[in-house]
Amino acid sequence: MEPSSSSLKKPEKRLGIIKILLVIAAGCSLIIGWFIFSSQTNPYIKETLSLKGSSDHGERLFRMNCAGCHGIKAQGLVGPSLKKVSSRIGDKKIINQIINGRTPPMPSFEMEPQTMADLLAHLHSIN
Ligand code: HEC
């Protein structure tokens, strides 16, 4: 008895599906890798973190822009207390929080990297 042609084809078909799945998996890991890579190299965050901030200027900025919600001593008011916020959530998350505006009522702020570095320097000093 000769095997029918359809039963001969089956193993090849399965290999084809495995190849397609491998290509999809490779594509997914490329996309995930790209996201991680680009979040680590966000040029604005990178530049900000490379600068040395002035906490005096940062304190003035904080009083003008943030104290209304976070309290003059960052003790918390409308917004949460920002005491020890640097060690709690880290600079990258703080920068994202300030520029994103994803958590109303906190607005998004646009500022030069140096200004952001000054503000971070002040936040570092809040304990
Ligand atoms: C209109 C009020 C308002 C102003 C102005 C404001 N914030 Fe906020 N902020 C909030 C609120 C409300 C939250 C909580 C958001 C949430 O997580 O839902 C918050 C959260 C934060 C957080 C995250 C705290 C945490 O523990 O995760 C940081 C950091 C922060 N604000 C920094 C600032 C800085 C710096 C400024 C000034 C440049 C500022 N905020 C101005 C209302 C404000």
Side-chain angles (χ1 to χ4, degrees):
M1 252 216 301
E2 259 182 53
S4 72
S5 59
S6 66
S7 73
L8 267 180
K9 264 186 191 160
K10 259 189 187 161
E12 273 175 35
K13 257 192 192 163
R14 219 177 279 150
L15 263 185
I17 289 169
I18 289 171
K19 269 186 203 157
I20 290 170
L21 287 177
L22 277 177
V23 169
I24 291 173
C28 286
S29 38
L30 267 183
I31 291 170
I32 292 168
W34 181 80
F35 267 118
I36 294 170
F37 180 76
S38 63
S39 73
Q40 280 174 344
T41 55
N42 176 324
Y44 177 80
I45 292 182
K46 223 177 160 189
E47 187 180 349
T48 300
L49 295 180
S50 74
L51 296 168
K52 191 170 160 20
S54 142
S55 70
D56 278 356
H57 185 224
E59 186 174 0
R60 262 181 284 143
L61 290 166
F62 185 85
R63 289 205 181 145
M64 284 189 289
N65 298 292
C66 324
C69 287
H70 290 282
I72 197 85
K73 294 205 164 116
Q75 76 277 19
L77 217 61
V78 180
S81 160
L82 297 181
K83 291 186 184 227
K84 296 199 168 103
V85 71
S86 309
S87 49
R88 220 170 2 97
I89 69 174
D91 286 349
K92 274 188 197 170
K93 277 198 182 159
I94 294 178
I95 297 174
N96 276 319
Q97 169 76 30
I98 296 171
I99 62 180
N100 272 345
R102 288 211 189 116
T103 52
M106 178 157 159
S108 67
F109 294 86
E110 255 182 63
M111 53 184 97
E112 294 296 318
Q114 183 60 60
T115 314
M116 182 63 86
D118 295 349
L119 195 52
L120 284 176
H122 172 62
L123 291 177
H124 289 169
S125 71
I126 297 173
N127 287 305

